[in-house]
Amino acid sequence: MTHVIRVGRPTVALLAFVIGACARPGTSPAPVPSPAAPATAAPGSTAPAPSAPAPETGVAARQAAVVPNPNAPKVLVIATGGTIAGVQNAPGTLGGYRAGTLTAEQITASVPELARYARVETEQFSNVASTLVTPEMWVKLAKRINVVLQRGDLAGVVVTHGTDRMEETAFFLYLTVRSNKPVVVVGAQRPATGISPDGPINLLSAVRTAASPKAVHKGVMVVMDDRILSARESRKLYQRTGGFDTGDMGMLGVVASQGPEFFFAPVRRFGERSEFDLERVDTLPKVELTMSYPGGTGQTFTTNPKGVVVATTGMTAAENATYRALRQTGVVVVTSFTSGENVNGGGGSDGPPAPARVDTTAPRDSVARPAAPPVPPVPPAVVAQHLTAAKARILLMVALTKTKNPREIQRIFNEY
Ligand code: SIN
C-alpha cells in the first residue's frame, strides 16, 4: 500500500518536538559556546564577559534559515524503512533501536534544507527492517518507480532503505527501472535519534543527486557518505559510517558542497536499455545461492530452484559433478568468483562445446555393435562477470523471467 504525503511546516514542528523530546527528555537543549563570544573576561575587567546566546541548531531553527526554491526540480522520496527511519529505545546512544519507525514525512521533515534543492514529495512504500524486504517487494517497488518516472514533472526518485539489504534492492532496480531519470537509494548506519545520525546528511545528498541533471543516464545509484556509487557495484563492507564502497569499479562521483559531481558513468546495460519488462511479472523464479569450499561435495536442494549461483574460486571434482548433474536436470547454474572482483571470459566453466571428433582407432574389420543411446549434452554453466554472488543471483532471477537457455543467460550476464 502506498500513499502520497506532502511535507509541511506543521510536520517539521512535530518532528522537532519528537526528536527534541527523545534526545533530552524533559530538558531544553544545553547551551553551546558561541565562537563569537569567547568565555574570557574583557581586558581590564574582573567580571566575566556576558556570553552571546548560543546559536539555535534545532530543526525548527534550520527550517527558518531555509529559503525554499519554488522552481527546484521535483523529487519523490519513497520510504521503505531501515535505520534511516529508525529510533532507539535509549535515545542519544548508539545502542539498540527499532528500524523502520519514522514515516517518510517525518524523515524528510527532519532535513528542511531539502527545500533549497528540490520540491520533495513523499510516499510510504513500507516501513520495515530491510531483512524483511522480499523479492516480491522488489517487483512492486520497481513497478511503482517505473510508473512515477513517467510523470513529466518528476526529475528523479529517492528510495530510503535499510542498509543490510540495500545493495540487493538497488541492483534489482538498476536492472528493471527502464528510465534514464536518476533513482537514488539511500540509508543510514546510525538511527535518526542516535548521536550524530548520518541519515539526514545522506538524505540531503541523495535528494541533491536525484534532482541533478548531471545524474541523468547514470542508472540506479547508491548515495552514502557523500559518495555516488553505481548500484551494480555498491556493497556494504561494514556497519559504520563510510561502510559502503564499490571495490575496484563503480564509484561514479561525490556530492560536494556545491552539489553532485560525476567523474565516471556506467557503460553496461541498464535503465532505458534494459530488456527486462516487469509488466507481467509478480513473482521471480526461485534461485538458490551456495558456496564452494575445500573438500566440498556440492549442495542439493529440496526447494526445486530454477537456478543456482555458486560462489567459488574453483570447484572440487565432487562439486563439479554435483552441479553438472544439476545442469543436466535443467537447472541453470551460475558461478561467481567469491570476491565479486574477477572478470571471467563468460564462455561457461565447461568452455565452448568441443568439436565432434572422428574415432580413427576402430579396426576396419570390427563387428558392428548396436549404437549406444546418445547422451544428451550437458548444458553449459554460466559465468558471472565481476558480480558478487548475491547480485549474480538477482540477475539470474531476472534473466529467468525471459529465458531458461543458459547460452542466452550467458549473453545477459555478459551485457548487464
Ligand atoms: C536495516 O537494514 O533495515 C537495518 C540496518 C540499517 O538500515 O543500517
Side-chain angles (χ1 to χ4, degrees):
M1 174 95 62
T2 58
H3 54 273
V4 176
I5 314 163
R6 286 185 184 274
V7 181
R9 282 176 188 258
T11 316
V12 174
L14 170 69
L15 187 75
F17 170 77
V18 170
I19 290 181
C22 286
R24 298 182 65 82
T27 64
S28 49
V32 179
S34 164
T40 52
S45 160
T46 52
S51 56
E56 275 285 346
T57 54
V59 173
R62 281 168 40 215
Q63 175 158 45
V66 169
V67 180
N69 177 355
N71 302 315
K74 280 190 188 162
V75 170
L76 175 65
V77 175
I78 301 180
T80 69
T83 295
I84 194 165
V87 296
Q88 287 165 296
N89 295 330
T93 71
L94 293 176
Y97 72 100
R98 285 162 287 137
T101 302
L102 299 178
T103 63
E105 190 184 9
Q106 286 172 316
I107 58 179
T108 51
S110 74
V111 191
E113 295 81 359
L114 297 176
R116 285 196 185 115
Y117 307 105
R119 284 175 289 159
V120 170
E121 296 176 16
T122 61
E123 188 169 308
Q124 194 75 46
F125 176 82
S126 60
N127 211 355
V128 294
S130 66
T131 46
L132 297 175
V133 171
T134 61
E136 287 69 34
M137 289 166 74
W138 294 340
V139 173
K140 280 197 189 121
L141 182 60
K143 284 184 179 186
R144 178 68 189 145
I145 295 173
N146 275 313
V147 167
V148 297
L149 284 182
Q150 284 168 20
R151 275 176 50 188
D153 66 333
L154 199 64
V157 165
V158 168
V159 177
T160 62
H161 199 282
T163 62
D164 288 348
R165 292 281 169 255
M166 190 155 81
E167 64 195 59
E168 283 98 336
T169 300
F171 184 53
F172 182 79
L173 298 177
Y174 170 94
L175 296 172
T176 56
V177 171
R178 303 170 90 188
S179 168
N180 63 13
K181 291 184 183 177
V183 175
V184 179
V185 186
V186 67
Q189 303 260 31
R190 296 174 180 167
T193 56
I195 298 169
S196 303
D198 53 333
I201 185 67
N202 285 345
L203 182 61
L204 184 62
S205 297
V207 167
R208 291 182 80 177
T209 304
S212 170
K214 294 178 186 171
V216 172
H217 284 299
K218 303 293 189 304
V220 174
M221 292 156 273
V222 167
V223 170
M224 293 286 286
D225 310 301
D226 300 337
R227 296 190 187 112
I228 306 171
L229 314 173
S230 171
R232 188 183 188 279
E233 309 294 341
S234 79
R235 302 172 196 176
K236 181 174 181 172
L237 298 188
Y238 49 83
Q239 292 177 308
R240 304 186 303 277
T241 52
F244 272 79
D245 211 326
T246 58
D248 272 358
M249 305 180 197
M251 180 157 159
L252 307 181
V254 296
V255 185
S257 54
Q258 72 275 16
E261 296 289 1
F262 286 85
F263 297 89
F264 302 95
V267 294
R268 295 176 80 98
R269 268 180 94 166
F270 62 87
E272 274 183 320
R273 289 175 50 233
S274 169
E275 70 202 89
F276 303 119
D277 182 2
L278 295 179
E279 186 76 15
R280 278 180 293 282
V281 176
D282 291 316
T283 56
L284 296 169
K286 185 156 204 60
V287 173
E288 297 286 3
L289 181 54
T290 185
M291 263 193 105
S292 96
Y293 46 84
T297 54
Q299 197 173 337
T300 51
F301 301 90
T302 53
T303 50
N304 193 25
K306 301 284 175 277
V308 169
V309 173
V310 188
T312 181
T313 48
M315 291 199 207
T316 66
E319 287 173 332
N320 251 324
T322 299
Y323 297 120
R324 194 180 168 87
L326 201 58
R327 283 171 8 230
Q328 205 123 36
T329 67
V331 175
V332 178
V333 176
V334 174
T335 62
S336 162
F337 204 77
T338 312
S339 66
E341 289 293 348
N342 200 34
V343 180
N344 288 307
S349 65
D350 281 352
R357 286 175 52 180
V358 180
D359 183 358
T360 55
T361 59
R364 286 184 184 196
D365 59 349
S366 65
V367 180
R369 294 172 202 278
V375 181
V378 184
V382 173
V383 180
Q385 283 193 344
H386 201 272
L387 274 181
T388 60
K391 292 207 178 94
R393 173 175 173 263
I394 293 168
L395 182 51
L396 181 54
M397 289 164 105
V398 173
L400 283 166
T401 64
K402 281 200 67 137
T403 176
K404 293 189 173 87
N405 180 341
R407 288 187 174 79
E408 180 62 1
I409 292 177
Q410 183 66 65
R411 194 256 322 148
I412 287 170
F413 271 80
N414 293 350
E415 289 183 11
Y416 286 81

